[in-house]
């Protein structure tokens, strides 16, 4: 009996089953919460929902840790097997697991898509980040959402999100990636619009969804093209066999380039890259923990994950790499400039996220895929921290988000302040904090490609990063208090369920840089010469720039507070451009309103239907004269319109068919 | 000469059931509710059984002279007849629930649905132009009457008249095309036509092309392809909602079934001429349907334009080679039927005391009052959008894949872009249901019994087909064996 139990347990706790368990636990949480939500709601304290959802994610995290260790052993075992069988050595110890719960989802005439999980070092790292950060944010939400009416719904969505995100990072094939991709998009939509009674929140949710559809169209097309080109959607088959294709020369739009660019379009939508970045700042209408989890540390990095996962594909196409790098660096720069003038504390952080995602894509574009994932991980820590600290501020001030009505909060909220400062310093890239290592690695990679313009823009963006985050710290936490008297009395440090996650994330933000992640990931990315070494002076230059930026911001926003206003009035066009966020929103609004909506109304409805059809009909009627008048009283105009349309269509068809060739 | 009537049996059974239903209602007290629903369901089930038990001959598109070569039972006809019958069985309870809600349950609508189904069964199994045309008319006449069957309402009457007048107009085109084809080939069976067209035609090629153009007009009208779609919004809006549910699904299934057989069977030798035309119509249909749907405020009208758009998606599959095109068409038709029947069905079963939801405002906050119905509606709308794990995604995957394999990637591109556009108007409904405050009074019916079961079955089918499409693919492959 005991032996049977033991055997059963070892079978469950094997590397084939555990990932499934990690995946399905949050989904189970979602099911329980959404099906038995009414029952849980009867418990007035309503702790149950939050605690349940925290537990499922904590278990997933523990499993992720366990599988990460088992992965090393399994890799060794496989290597030994290979050696004993005299198989050729692979470049490194990475291995896929097609777990035995796999079923064929689609299997028809050559298109075979199994549902199975892929677990290698990259997936393992992503699992750790997703479940770890999610757990801390779940705990934080217990405090932050404590007084919200609809916590059950909130936690059920959050659990559903974790499920889809894990599905995305553990998917073996592009179609499963796509399912996870749409799933996290759905959760993002639901959670941005969580407070749907606010019109802004509902509008922001819709905007996020629609902008993402543009990207998704690219992703689907890329997926179809990939299947067309490679005959498979399996990620490992694609990355393993890509070397067999002939490398393409710059400027030629070969199939690999097209696929890479289409998939990158999808990544641009999800990861808010130029010109599809407009939804992310608006997405800040959601609850702050959601901004921290979905719109800063996990979902928005899915695009980076996809590009990094397909690193061997992207390496084949110089054109695609260049596009990725240029879009990335431009986004990094443009978003950083917009962040300079935002007054809403969450909007600054949102643009900062866009900018940092730009850095990650820059890293991909210059071939430093390991650095991109490294920055993804460190960014997950410090940006989640920054958002949660900002949430703590908002919580303390009863919903105030405008930095012009903050100031001097450092004394009132000491824990929040110090954790925020650590996160900010990590973002600015001060030495030996996590952000320093990853950003330095990106800059080195960029320098190594020898594209000076990109490198200089990246340096400028790094400088601006230090400036805007220091500005935020100065305006919100330092200087004189600009709070209302009522709010001043009310301002209090957050409860421990909120501060403990802050402290843990602060520890992560400070130390995550010491993990030699890029080296660990190199086998997955199929190695690379270009991720190579140390130009000595870059760390010093970057540090000097950061310090300069910090001092500049402190000078402008603490000591000489009139200077920014004077600068702004001296250079009005820059201010206008920045405050209009470089005009992207206006451009899209104009396009949608003028071209699509009114085009639909005016051209198709008013012009085609009313004017063209009815007009022609009426004109014919007048020409036919009095005989037609009697007919007109017997028929409605519309029927004749319909018949005329049929006739016109028939004539067009016949003319086409009989047209001599 | 012996005539084998067996291939026509399903249609005969269904037509006879319709007659029986009429007779039963004639002897029922007028005040009472119609009792014919179970009779009709039994008839459809019997027809389904017979359809599957008939001997199926595989691999002849326009086959040897059973029943004088007019009607056959092959894999394509069996598959589509089964689909039509299933759609009919799902639509009947919706229809009963709706007509009860508007207090007009007299049984005649059941009989009319039976006659329409009989026509559809003939339509998908005809391999000869005269029987094809007769089936088309049997179906259409029943549908005109159904459209106008909400007699108290003038818009229902108006819709029926418009549908009838323009329908007659397009039938004239169709019949003219039939005449020209007879003139060219000297016969009306598809295999005769195909063999004539495959041989050198000389001067007759123009006549054949003219004929195929006219046939395309006739079919384009039935499937509501742009520019022959203009009746659809009016008819779908004016018809009783349950009839719209039936009409927007079963008619498309039958018409596409016949269209595929005619163009990929009889007229395939001319394929390089009509394929660009179909492609152009598909693009036009997808664009006009989706963009017009954007501007609609009325729910039924919005779904009507969406049905137009979906006809465009199906047409993208028809540009590829026969077996693949037929398989993709069948898969899309299955996915679209269960989804659209469900979507219109939800609107139909909400009707109470002669009122039904018409605009977005009418269903705002519905999720609080009718959680299950709202969830089902959300599933249908998500499937119509084409999101993975729903039937709609599987359908779109296959039709776009078919278009791409035939080197018409542009069609797939337009389709994808238009799917993105469609997300906007489908999503608006979900938003209204889930994210807006409910109305003060609860005006809508409680859904119970058979109609609720139908909605649940449709939602379940949408999800099952989306998650486990294997079986559907296998069916489609079998169905398409006719086109080899």
């Amino acid at each position: 009996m005991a032996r049977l139990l033991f055997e059963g347990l070892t079978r469950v706790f094997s590397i084939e089953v555990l990932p499934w368990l990690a995946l399905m636990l949050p989904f189970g949480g979602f099911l329980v919460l959404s099906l038995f939500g009414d029952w849980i709601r009867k418990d007035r304290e309503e702790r149950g929902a939050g605690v349940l959802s925290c537990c499922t994610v904590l278990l997933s995290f523990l499993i992720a840790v366990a599988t990460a260790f088992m992965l090393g052993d399994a890799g060794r075992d496989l290597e030994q097997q290979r050696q004993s069988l005299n198989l050729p050595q692979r470049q490194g110890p990475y291995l896929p697991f097609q777990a035995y719960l796999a079923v064929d989802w689609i299997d028809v005439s050559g298109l075979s898509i199994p549902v199975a999980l892929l677990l290698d070092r990259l997936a393992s790292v992503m699992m750790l980040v997703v479940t770890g950060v999610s757990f801390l944010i779940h705990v934080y939400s217990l405090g932050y959402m404590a007084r919200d009416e609809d916590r059950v719904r909130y936690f059920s969505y959050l659990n559903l999100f974790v499920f889809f995100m894990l599905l995305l990072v553990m998917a073996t094939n592009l179609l499963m990636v796509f399912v996870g991709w749409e799933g996290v998009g759905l959760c993002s939509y639901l959670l941005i619009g969580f407070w749907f009674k606010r019109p802004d929140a509902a509008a922001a949710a819709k905007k996020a969804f629609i902008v993402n559809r543009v990207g998704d169209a690219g992703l689907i097309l890329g997926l179809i093209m990939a299947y067309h080109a490679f005959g498979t959607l399996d990620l490992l088959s694609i990355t393993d066999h890509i070397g067999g294709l002939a490398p393409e020369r710059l400027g030629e739009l070969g199939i690999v380039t097209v696929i890479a660019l289409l998939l990158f379009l999808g990544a641009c939508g999800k990861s808010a890259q130029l010109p599809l970045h407009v939804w992310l700042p608006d997405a800040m209408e959601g609850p702050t923990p959601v901004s921290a989890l979905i719109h800063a540390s996990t979902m928005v990095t899915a695009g980076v994950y996809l590009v990094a996962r397909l690193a061997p594909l992207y390496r084949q196409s110089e054109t695609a790499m260049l596009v990725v790098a240029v879009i990335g660096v431009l986004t990094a720069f443009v978003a950083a400039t917009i962040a300079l003038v935002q007054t809403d504390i969450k909007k600054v952080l949102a643009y900062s996220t866009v900018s940092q995602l730009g850095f990650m894509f820059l890293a991909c574009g210059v071939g430093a895929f390991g650095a991109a994932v490294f920055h993804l991980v460190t960014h997950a820590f410090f940006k989640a921290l920054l958002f949660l600290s900002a949430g703590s501020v908002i919580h303390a001030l009863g919903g105030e988000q405008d930095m012009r009505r903050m100031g001097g909060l450092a004394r009132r909220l000491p824990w929040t302040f110090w954790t925020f400062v650590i996160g900010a310093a990590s973002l600015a890239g001060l030495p030996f904090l996590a952000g320093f290592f990853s950003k330095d690695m990106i800059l080195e990679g960029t320098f190594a490609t020898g594209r000076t313009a990109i490198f200089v823009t990246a340096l400028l963006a790094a400088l601006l990063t230090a400036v805007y985050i220091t500005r935020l710290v100065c305006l919100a936490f330092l200087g004189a208090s600009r709070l209302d008297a009522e709010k001043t009395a009310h301002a209090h440090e957050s409860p421990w369920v909120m501060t403990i996650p802050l402290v843990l994330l602060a520890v992560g933000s400070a130390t995550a840089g010491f993990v030699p992640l890029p080296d660990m990931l190199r086998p997955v990315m199929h190695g690379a010469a270009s991720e190579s070494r140390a130009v000595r002076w870059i760390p010093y230059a970057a540090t000097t720039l950061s310090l300069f930026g910090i001092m500049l911001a402190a000078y402008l926003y603490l000591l000489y507070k009139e200077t920014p206003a004077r600068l702004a009035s001296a250079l009005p066009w820059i201010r206008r451009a920045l405050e209009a966020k470089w005009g992207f929103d206006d451009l899209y609004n104009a396009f949608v309103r003028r071209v699509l909506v009114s085009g639909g109304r005016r051209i198709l409805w008013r012009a085609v239907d009313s004017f063209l059809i009815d007009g022609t009909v009426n004109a014919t009627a007048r020409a036919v004269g009095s005989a037609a008048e009697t007919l007109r009283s017997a028929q409605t105009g519309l029927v004749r319109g319909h018949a005329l349309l049929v006739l016109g269509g028939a004539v067009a068809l016949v003319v086409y068919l009989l047209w001599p060739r | 000469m012996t005539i084998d009537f067996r291939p026509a049996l399903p249609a005969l059974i269904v037509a006879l059931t319709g007659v029986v239903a009429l007779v039963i209602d004639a002897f029922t007290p007028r005040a009472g509710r119609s009792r014919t629903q179970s009779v009709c369901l039994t008839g459809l089930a019997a027809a389904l059984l017979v359809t599957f038990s008939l001997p199926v001959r595989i691999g002849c598109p326009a086959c040897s002279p059973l029943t004088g070569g007019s009607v056959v039972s092959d894999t394509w006809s069996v598959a589509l007849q089964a689909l039509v019958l299933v759609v009919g069985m799902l639509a009947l309870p919706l229809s009963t629930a709706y007509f009860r809600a508007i207090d007009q349950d007299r049984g005649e609508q059941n009989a009319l649905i039976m006659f329409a189904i009989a026509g559809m069964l003939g339509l998908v199994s005809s391999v000869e132009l005269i029987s094809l045309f007769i089936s088309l008319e049997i179906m259409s006449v029943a549908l005109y009457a159904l459209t106008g069957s909400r007699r108290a309402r003038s818009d229902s009457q108006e819709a029926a008249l418009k549908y009838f007048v323009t329908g007659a107009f397009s039938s004239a085109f169709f019949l003219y095309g039939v005449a020209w084809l007879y003139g060219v080939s000297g016969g009306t069976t598809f295999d005769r036509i195909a063999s004539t067209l495959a041989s050198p035609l000389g001067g007759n090629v123009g006549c054949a092309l003219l004929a195929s153009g006219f046939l395309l007009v006739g079919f384009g009208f039935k499937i509501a392809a742009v520019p022959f779609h203009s009746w659809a919004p009016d008819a779908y809006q004016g018809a009783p909602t349950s009839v719209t549910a039936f009409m927007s699904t079963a008619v498309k299934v039958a018409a596409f079934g016949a269209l595929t057989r005619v163009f990929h069977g009889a007229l395939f030798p001319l394929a390089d001429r009509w394929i660009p035309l179909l492609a152009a119509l598909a693009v036009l249909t997808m664009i006009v349907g989706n963009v017009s749907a954007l501007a609609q405020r009325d729910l039924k009208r919005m779904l009507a334009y969406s049905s137009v758009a979906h006809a465009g998606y199906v047409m993208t599959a028809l540009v590829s080679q026969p077996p693949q095109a037929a398989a993709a068409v069948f898969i899309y038709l299955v996915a679209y039927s269960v989804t659209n029947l469900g979507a219109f069905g939800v609107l139909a079963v909400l009707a109470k005391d002669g009122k039904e939801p018409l605009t977005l405002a009418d269903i705002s906050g519905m999720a609080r009052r009718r959680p299950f119905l709202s969830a089902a509606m959300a599933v249908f709308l998500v499937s119509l959008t084409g999101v993975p794990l729903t039937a709609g995604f599987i359908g779109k995957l296959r039709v776009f894949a078919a278009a791409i394999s035939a080197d018409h990637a542009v069609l797939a591109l337009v389709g994808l872009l238009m799917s993105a556009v469609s997300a906007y108007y489908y999503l608006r409904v979900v938003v209204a249901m889930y994210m807006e405050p409910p109305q003060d009074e609860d005006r809508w019916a409680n859904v119970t019994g058979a109609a609720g079961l139908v909605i649940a079955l449709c939602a379940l089918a949408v999800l099952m087909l989306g998650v486990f499409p294997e079986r559907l693919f296998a069916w489609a492959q079998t169905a398409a064996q006719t086109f080899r």
Side-chain angles (χ1 to χ4, degrees):
Chain A
M1 184 67 200
R3 194 160 147 253
L4 213 67
L5 194 70
F6 178 75
E7 274 182 4
L9 279 179
T10 44
R11 189 161 293 170
V12 169
F13 290 103
S14 68
I15 196 157
E16 282 88 1
V17 181
L18 279 179
W20 284 100
L21 214 55
L23 178 68
M24 295 317 290
L25 273 169
F27 189 68
F30 161 73
L31 280 185
V32 169
L33 288 182
S34 55
L35 292 180
F36 305 108
D38 280 333
W39 183 68
I40 296 172
R41 269 193 202 100
K42 288 194 184 113
D43 154 33
R44 279 291 89 197
E45 289 289 306
E46 287 190 30
R47 290 268 166 70
V51 171
L52 173 73
S53 131
C54 286
C55 286
T56 56
V57 180
L58 176 63
L59 279 174
S60 282
F61 174 64
L62 293 178
I63 293 173
V65 174
T67 45
F69 281 110
M70 291 162 90
L71 198 59
D73 293 340
R76 255 198 308 284
D77 292 349
L78 194 81
E79 280 311 295
Q80 279 165 5
Q81 272 179 29
R82 282 180 167 281
Q83 278 169 3
S84 64
L85 293 171
N86 286 327
L87 285 171
Q89 294 252 309
R90 296 193 83 139
Q91 284 198 328
Y94 85 95
L95 71 165
F97 279 101
Q98 312 258 330
Y100 66 74
L101 289 177
V103 287
D104 275 342
W105 178 29
I106 295 173
D107 186 6
V108 61
S109 58
L111 173 64
S112 155
I113 295 172
V115 178
L117 296 185
L118 163 67
L119 198 70
D120 60 3
R121 288 183 171 181
L122 179 56
S124 181
V125 166
M126 293 300 290
M127 260 177 95
L128 286 171
V129 171
V130 170
T131 52
V133 174
S134 292
F135 171 64
L136 292 178
I137 291 173
H138 271 73
V139 172
Y140 178 92
S141 298
L142 286 179
Y144 192 84
M145 302 299 281
R147 268 167 294 170
D148 197 274
E149 283 177 4
D150 223 352
R151 270 160 290 173
V152 178
R153 188 162 61 94
Y154 174 82
F155 279 108
S156 72
Y157 290 167
L158 224 49
N159 262 9
L160 185 66
F161 169 77
V162 177
F163 163 72
F164 276 123
M165 192 68 206
L166 285 175
L167 184 66
L168 198 164
V169 298
M170 292 199 281
T172 40
N173 54 57
L174 278 173
L175 201 63
M176 276 173 74
V177 168
F178 181 65
V179 172
W181 189 273
E182 291 292 324
V184 290
L186 171 73
C187 295
S188 156
Y189 166 75
L190 290 171
L191 283 164
I192 295 171
F194 182 73
W195 287 315
F196 55 77
K197 283 170 191 158
R198 296 184 191 167
D200 281 354
K206 215 188 287 183
K207 183 172 177 181
F209 193 87
I210 292 170
V211 172
N212 266 303
R213 294 303 291 184
V214 178
D216 290 351
L219 186 70
I220 304 172
L221 280 179
L223 207 143
I224 295 173
M225 298 281 285
Y227 180 68
H228 197 66
F230 308 126
T232 175
L233 289 176
D234 189 72
L235 286 167
L236 291 178
S237 314
I238 291 177
T239 50
D240 278 357
H241 301 305
I242 193 75
L245 292 172
E248 292 168 304
R249 267 168 296 162
L250 184 68
E252 275 183 348
L253 274 186
I255 183 90
V256 173
T257 308
V258 173
I259 293 169
L261 287 178
L262 283 171
L263 294 177
F264 179 60
L265 179 63
C268 278
K270 188 76 37 189
S271 298
Q273 294 297 289
L274 236 49
L276 298 178
H277 65 287
V278 290
W279 65 272
L280 187 57
D282 287 23
M284 297 300 128
E285 289 295 335
T288 306
V290 169
S291 309
L293 176 61
I294 300 183
H295 305 119
S297 51
T298 53
M299 182 192 82
V300 289
T301 59
V304 182
Y305 166 77
L306 181 69
V307 174
R309 169 60 82 191
L310 294 173
L313 176 86
Y314 278 84
R315 284 223 176 84
Q316 292 298 310
S317 165
E318 280 184 51
T319 317
M321 291 288 269
L322 187 63
V323 170
V324 173
V326 168
I327 293 278
V329 79
L330 278 182
T331 309
F333 177 73
V334 167
T337 56
I338 300 174
L340 284 177
V341 298
Q342 295 296 311
T343 53
D344 182 317
I345 187 167
K346 282 179 75 179
K347 288 271 167 81
V348 176
L349 294 177
Y351 278 107
S352 162
T353 305
V354 176
S355 170
Q356 295 301 307
L357 290 166
F359 271 109
M360 295 176 210
F361 279 109
L362 169 64
C364 293
V366 297
F369 292 97
V373 177
F374 190 27
H375 197 55
L376 187 163
V377 174
T378 58
H379 175 258
F381 280 109
F382 63 70
K383 193 49 69 64
L385 171 61
L386 289 173
F387 265 111
L388 293 187
S389 297
S392 176
V393 170
I394 297 166
H395 191 69
L397 301 184
E400 182 60 63
Q401 300 194 8
D402 194 334
M403 294 192 296
R404 287 169 299 191
R405 288 195 287 277
M406 291 181 184
L409 291 174
R411 272 175 301 116
R412 294 184 179 280
L413 312 170
W415 286 100
T416 308
F417 171 64
W418 284 109
T419 49
F420 194 95
V421 165
I422 293 175
S426 188
L427 170 66
L430 287 191
F432 311 117
L433 296 174
F436 167 76
F437 292 101
S438 52
K439 189 184 288 184
D440 179 54
M441 209 166 273
I442 295 175
L443 291 175
E444 277 175 17
T446 313
F447 185 75
T449 56
R451 295 188 201 282
T452 320
I454 293 180
F455 180 67
V456 171
T457 320
L459 280 182
L460 270 178
L463 170 68
L464 291 176
T465 307
V467 174
Y468 69 68
I469 198 65
T470 313
R471 167 178 176 266
L472 200 168
V473 173
C474 293
L475 286 180
F477 292 99
L478 304 176
S481 170
R482 296 181 295 280
L483 277 76
D484 310 337
E486 185 199 344
K487 277 185 184 148
T488 318
H490 198 254
H492 57 92
E493 182 60 277
S494 303
W496 62 268
V497 280
M498 290 168 67
T499 46
I500 285 182
L502 290 184
V503 172
L504 290 177
L505 281 171
V507 172
S509 303
T511 58
F514 292 105
V515 183
L517 209 50
D519 292 331
M520 288 163 59
L521 290 176
R522 188 158 301 144
V524 184
M525 314 292 182
H526 286 217
S530 67
E531 264 182 63
S532 66
R533 269 304 33 119
V535 188
R536 274 293 163 97
W537 54 270
I538 285 182
Y540 298 105
T543 310
T544 316
L545 268 180
S546 298
L547 286 173
F548 174 68
I550 290 171
M551 284 194 292
L552 180 70
Y555 171 87
L556 287 176
Y557 292 98
L558 279 183
L559 301 176
Y560 297 91
K561 288 178 194 157
E562 293 76 32
T563 328
R566 252 187 284 140
L567 265 179
S569 56
L571 300 163
W573 56 276
I574 288 190
R575 192 193 63 181
R576 270 203 304 275
L578 293 186
E579 282 179 355
K581 300 160 200 160
W582 297 76
F584 280 102
D585 276 311
D586 300 329
L587 190 72
Y588 292 157
N589 277 337
F591 177 72
V592 170
R593 195 167 301 145
R594 301 246 167 82
V595 182
L596 288 186
V597 175
S598 70
R601 287 241 174 86
R602 276 198 207 128
I603 297 175
L604 283 170
W605 181 37
R606 228 168 268 159
V608 175
D609 226 48
S610 308
F611 178 74
L612 245 177
I613 299 168
D614 291 359
T616 328
V617 171
N618 290 342
T620 327
R622 273 194 295 278
V624 174
S626 61
E629 280 305 315
T630 40
L631 271 178
R632 188 149 53 179
S633 58
Q635 291 179 350
T636 68
L638 268 167
V639 176
R640 279 177 299 171
H642 295 175
L644 198 71
L645 198 58
V646 172
L647 184 63
V651 169
L653 293 197
V654 168
V655 166
Y656 167 80
L657 282 173
L658 296 184
W659 200 260
R661 308 189 181 194
Chain B
M1 184 176 83
T2 57
I3 295 177
D4 189 354
F5 279 108
R6 285 180 299 169
L9 260 183
L12 289 176
I13 291 173
V14 172
L16 208 65
T17 314
V19 175
V20 170
L22 273 186
V23 173
I24 291 179
D25 269 319
F27 288 98
T28 310
R30 199 151 175 75
R33 287 168 159 184
S34 163
R35 298 208 175 80
T36 52
Q37 182 186 314
S38 47
V39 175
C40 293
L41 282 176
T42 315
L44 291 178
L48 193 62
L49 210 64
V50 170
T51 305
F52 279 118
S53 56
L54 285 177
V56 172
R57 282 153 311 108
I58 290 173
C60 54
C63 220
S64 62
L66 277 177
T67 58
S70 297
V71 185
V72 296
S73 164
D74 54 16
T75 55
W76 186 243
S77 79
V78 168
L80 285 166
Q81 285 186 331
L83 182 55
V84 166
L85 287 168
V86 168
V87 169
M89 288 165 79
L90 291 173
L92 265 178
L94 293 178
S95 164
T96 308
Y98 181 82
F99 279 95
R100 279 191 188 152
I102 61 167
D103 203 19
Q104 203 194 305
D105 184 24
R106 300 209 190 87
E108 64 205 14
Q109 75 277 358
N110 287 347
L112 284 170
I113 288 179
M114 287 296 115
F115 296 144
I117 291 178
M120 293 168 187
L121 296 181
L123 198 55
V124 297
S125 54
S126 294
V127 288
E128 187 262 347
L129 285 170
I130 303 295
S131 52
L132 184 76
F133 180 72
I134 290 172
S135 307
L136 192 72
E137 286 306 294
I138 291 174
M139 173 185 90
S140 302
V141 171
L143 285 173
Y144 302 144
L146 273 172
T147 306
S149 61
R150 197 168 174 186
R151 279 175 290 189
R153 292 272 300 255
S154 63
D155 56 351
S156 179
Q157 311 278 317
E158 186 191 332
L161 183 75
K162 281 178 181 167
Y163 189 18
F164 171 65
V165 172
T166 48
F169 192 52
S170 74
S171 290
F173 276 103
F174 191 89
L175 199 55
Y176 199 39
V178 170
W180 275 101
L181 266 189
Y182 177 70
V184 171
S185 62
T188 54
T189 56
F190 291 174
D191 50 357
R192 175 76 175 266
I193 293 168
S195 60
T196 313
L197 294 186
S199 58
L201 281 172
N204 276 344
V205 72
C207 305
L209 286 171
L210 193 69
S212 49
F214 286 148
L215 289 184
L216 194 54
V217 174
F219 279 122
F221 183 85
K222 291 296 167 207
I223 60 174
V226 176
F228 314 110
H229 70 294
S230 47
W231 60 276
D234 289 340
Y236 284 14
Q237 187 185 12
T241 311
S242 61
V243 171
T244 314
F246 174 67
M247 203 157 80
S248 67
T249 50
V251 176
K252 280 206 178 88
V253 171
F256 266 112
L259 172 67
T260 311
R261 203 193 275 280
V262 169
F263 278 81
H264 280 288
L267 298 176
F268 198 70
L270 300 176
D272 53 337
R273 298 302 288 271
W274 53 256
I275 277 182
L277 203 58
L278 262 180
L281 285 187
V283 168
L284 208 59
T285 307
M286 287 189 283
I287 292 178
V288 173
N290 278 309
V291 177
S292 308
L294 275 183
Q296 301 306 320
R297 303 240 168 273
D298 185 289
L299 286 175
K300 276 166 82 179
R301 226 175 151 75
M302 185 270 275
L303 283 177
Y305 275 113
S306 126
S307 309
V308 171
H310 282 276
Y313 298 134
V314 186
M315 284 159 76
T316 57
L318 286 171
V319 300
S320 58
Q321 289 302 304
Q324 196 186 3
V329 166
F330 181 72
I331 288 165
Y332 201 93
L333 287 176
V334 171
Y336 165 80
S337 300
V338 287
T339 311
N340 220 40
L341 191 74
F344 274 114
V346 169
L347 295 185
V349 296
L350 282 170
K352 182 182 175 186
D353 301 335
K355 286 198 216 107
E356 56 188 300
L358 296 175
T359 61
L360 281 181
D362 286 338
I363 58 161
S364 69
M366 199 174 93
R368 296 280 169 91
R369 296 261 160 79
R370 301 275 180 282
F372 291 103
L373 216 51
S374 306
M377 188 67 175
V379 166
F380 299 136
L381 291 166
V382 163
S383 174
L384 285 173
T385 316
V387 173
L389 297 183
T390 59
F393 170 74
I394 298 297
K396 282 198 176 132
L397 182 80
R398 288 301 297 259
V399 293
F400 293 154
I404 289 175
S405 75
D407 287 331
H408 277 87
V410 178
L411 285 183
L413 185 66
V414 172
L416 287 171
L417 287 178
M418 285 299 128
S419 304
V421 168
S422 74
Y424 179 76
Y425 58 83
Y426 291 130
L427 189 71
R428 241 179 0 195
V429 181
V430 180
V431 169
M433 288 192 305
Y434 279 88
M435 299 204 163
E436 275 167 26
Q439 291 168 322
D440 300 332
E441 47 168 348
D442 191 351
R443 290 191 279 158
W444 310 123
N446 277 312
V447 183
T448 47
L453 186 67
V454 166
I455 302 287
L457 281 178
C458 287
L460 192 68
V462 166
L463 293 175
M464 290 299 283
L465 292 176
V467 180
F468 306 108
E470 276 302 293
R471 185 62 62 83
L472 177 60
F473 289 166
W475 289 337
Q477 202 134 20
T478 314
Q481 279 172 352
T482 299
F483 298 89
R484 249 200 319 220

